[in-house]
Amino acid sequence: PHAKLISTMSLLLGTTITISSNHWMMAWTGLEINTLAIIPLISKSHHPRAIEASIKYFLVQAAASALVLFSSMINAWFTGQWDITQLTHPTACLLLTTAIAMKLGLVPFHFWFPEVLQGSSLITALLLSTMMKFPPITILYLTSHSLNPTLLTAMAIASAALGGWMGLNQTQIRKILAFSSISHLGWMTIILIYNPKLTLMTFYLYTLMTTTVFLTLNTTKVTKLSTLMTSWTKIPALNATLMLTLLSLAGLPPLTGFLPKWLIIQELTKQEMTTAATIIAMLSLLGLFFYLRLAYYSTITLPPNSTNYMKQWHANKPTSTLIAILTSLSISLLPLSPMILATI
């Protein structure tokens, strides 16, 4: 319990330090505390796969942290500025983009992310795909005015494409959610230069929906598609709302997930990037395919093969209020979009 408390507090501390810092060294310190705090949470189960995941995570994050330091040093060397918003040197900008892409798991530095998510428990996977993405995204937000638009757009489209393609033939739900995370990061990155606030809003809504999905899966104890098939007997109502949340994550219109996609496409068209908008909208159809498959498995019908599984018992415990609130939010926020837009 003490170790868990210390890890959780360090996570919060690291995140807070990074998002409130002006100086590069403070930002780096926060990122480093974050990395070291999440490692015990990944390797807690002592399964070989969990240990492998934590080692992969550590190596990638250490390399990314070193690159963050390196880029800030180059910038300080040439401009004498340690302020995060004063990143002006082109080489430093390039290195920072690379480092943050490694931190976030953007293509072409995405290889570690599905593996690490697969090795960790559902709650740790939730932390990795939401909380651990927040500090790097705030750094991108602070430096967004000086980054290279072509590089970011290329990375964003590649991420959306790869997140869609690779998620198609996965059977492990954590890996599917990892690839979904990669494609959502693509959506956030493409709009970063033109409207950074929209990036943050997309991230918040993505966090909301992913948290709902992970907590629901954690309640029904589902990690594979084959167990998702038979889990509907446990808590039928929860599985019905899981289907809606997954469709919301896919970005279908009456649900919350449509809002960021719609605003991003609108903003890209305003910036005369119609081609990019069309490509990324087409690529989100790939994501829609595997979300639909998940939704199909979770609720609509059992697949047409005879299952030799025991049907699971109906769980009599009430669903937690948190899941209920999160599900309601991740399904029905779209009508409130004028209010959301007024707040950002």
Side-chain angles (χ1 to χ4, degrees), residues 275-336:
T275 341
T278 316
I279 292 172
I280 204 163
M282 295 301 249
L283 290 173
S284 73
L285 291 176
L286 291 168
L288 177 64
F289 179 80
F290 60 77
Y291 290 123
L292 273 177
R293 192 174 63 169
L294 275 174
Y296 185 83
Y297 274 112
S298 71
T299 310
I300 306 174
T301 166
L302 287 177
N305 49 5
S306 57
T307 51
N308 31 9
Y309 290 105
M310 291 284 287
K311 289 281 178 287
Q312 293 175 335
W313 284 96
H314 184 86
N316 216 355
K317 56 179 181 189
T319 311
S320 72
T321 329
L322 178 67
I323 295 185
I325 295 170
L326 287 174
T327 306
S328 323
L329 286 176
S330 57
I331 291 171
S332 54
L333 270 186
L334 190 66
L336 296 179

Side-chain angles (χ1 to χ4, degrees), residues 84-90 93 142-149 193:
I84 293 188
T85 46
Q86 304 292 324
L87 188 76
T88 45
H89 195 263
C93 293
L142 290 172
T143 55
S144 59
H145 51 83
S146 53
L147 299 176
N148 182 348
I193 291 181

Side-chain angles (χ1 to χ4, degrees), residues 128-139:
L128 279 170
S129 49
T130 55
M131 176 108 165
M132 301 301 290
K133 297 282 165 85
F134 190 38
I137 281 184
T138 47
I139 291 183

Side-chain angles (χ1 to χ4, degrees), residues 155-209:
M155 281 168 110
I157 289 178
S159 296
L162 205 122
W165 277 120
M166 301 275 287
L168 291 181
N169 59 354
Q170 300 291 339
T171 55
Q172 298 284 347
I173 295 178
R174 279 168 297 191
K175 278 198 176 173
I176 294 181
L177 286 168
F179 286 117
S180 109
S181 177
I182 292 172
S183 63
H184 275 276
L185 281 169
W187 280 87
M188 290 172 216
T189 321
I190 199 165
I191 201 64
L192 182 74
I193 291 181
Y194 309 106
N195 193 343
K197 287 191 172 160
L198 203 50
T199 300
L200 280 185
M201 194 205 69
T202 313
F203 177 70
Y204 296 146
L205 290 178
Y206 160 74
T207 304
L208 170 74
M209 295 182 286

Side-chain angles (χ1 to χ4, degrees), residues 112-126:
W112 62 274
F113 190 52
E115 301 291 328
V116 171
L117 236 60
Q118 184 52 38
S120 45
S121 68
L122 281 169
I123 298 294
T124 315
L126 163 66

Side-chain angles (χ1 to χ4, degrees), residues 60-283:
V60 171
Q61 299 296 321
S65 290
L67 276 178
V68 168
L69 261 187
F70 188 38
S71 80
S72 55
M73 295 277 280
I74 288 181
N75 192 57
W77 185 262
F78 281 103
T79 61
Q81 280 289 348
W82 278 101
D83 197 321
I84 293 188
T85 46
Q86 304 292 324
L87 188 76
T88 45
H89 195 263
T91 320
C93 293
L94 195 69
L95 277 171
L96 181 83
T97 315
T98 313
I100 300 291
M102 281 171 85
K103 283 254 173 226
L104 290 172
L106 274 171
V107 175
F109 308 103
H110 62 281
F111 298 101
W112 62 274
F113 190 52
E115 301 291 328
V116 171
L117 236 60
Q118 184 52 38
S120 45
S121 68
L122 281 169
I123 298 294
T124 315
L126 163 66
L127 279 177
L128 279 170
S129 49
T130 55
M131 176 108 165
M132 301 301 290
K133 297 282 165 85
F134 190 38
I137 281 184
T138 47
I139 291 183
L140 276 184
Y141 175 78
L142 290 172
T143 55
S144 59
H145 51 83
S146 53
L147 299 176
N148 182 348
T150 326
L151 178 67
L152 280 182
T153 311
M155 281 168 110
I157 289 178
S159 296
L162 205 122
W165 277 120
M166 301 275 287
L168 291 181
N169 59 354
Q170 300 291 339
T171 55
Q172 298 284 347
I173 295 178
R174 279 168 297 191
K175 278 198 176 173
I176 294 181
L177 286 168
F179 286 117
S180 109
S181 177
I182 292 172
S183 63
H184 275 276
L185 281 169
W187 280 87
M188 290 172 216
T189 321
I190 199 165
I191 201 64
L192 182 74
I193 291 181
Y194 309 106
N195 193 343
K197 287 191 172 160
L198 203 50
T199 300
L200 280 185
M201 194 205 69
T202 313
F203 177 70
Y204 296 146
L205 290 178
Y206 160 74
T207 304
L208 170 74
M209 295 182 286
T210 313
T211 311
T212 316
V213 172
F214 270 116
L215 289 178
T216 308
L217 293 174
N218 191 46
T219 311
T220 50
K221 294 282 176 278
V222 171
T223 52
K224 289 201 294 287
L225 281 180
S226 52
T227 44
L228 187 62
M229 286 186 225
T230 54
S231 74
W232 60 272
T233 47
K234 263 191 188 176
I235 313 177
L238 193 60
N239 264 28
T241 53
L242 173 66
M243 177 191 82
L244 286 171
T245 315
L246 284 165
L247 293 179
S248 176
L249 204 50
L252 289 184
L255 307 163
T256 310
F258 178 58
L259 174 63
K261 285 193 163 52
W262 169 39
L263 292 174
I264 287 175
I265 287 178
Q266 182 188 351
E267 185 67 34
L268 284 175
T269 344
K270 274 186 201 163
Q271 301 288 346
E272 298 181 2
M273 291 180 63
T274 333
T275 341
T278 316
I279 292 172
I280 204 163
M282 295 301 249
L283 290 173

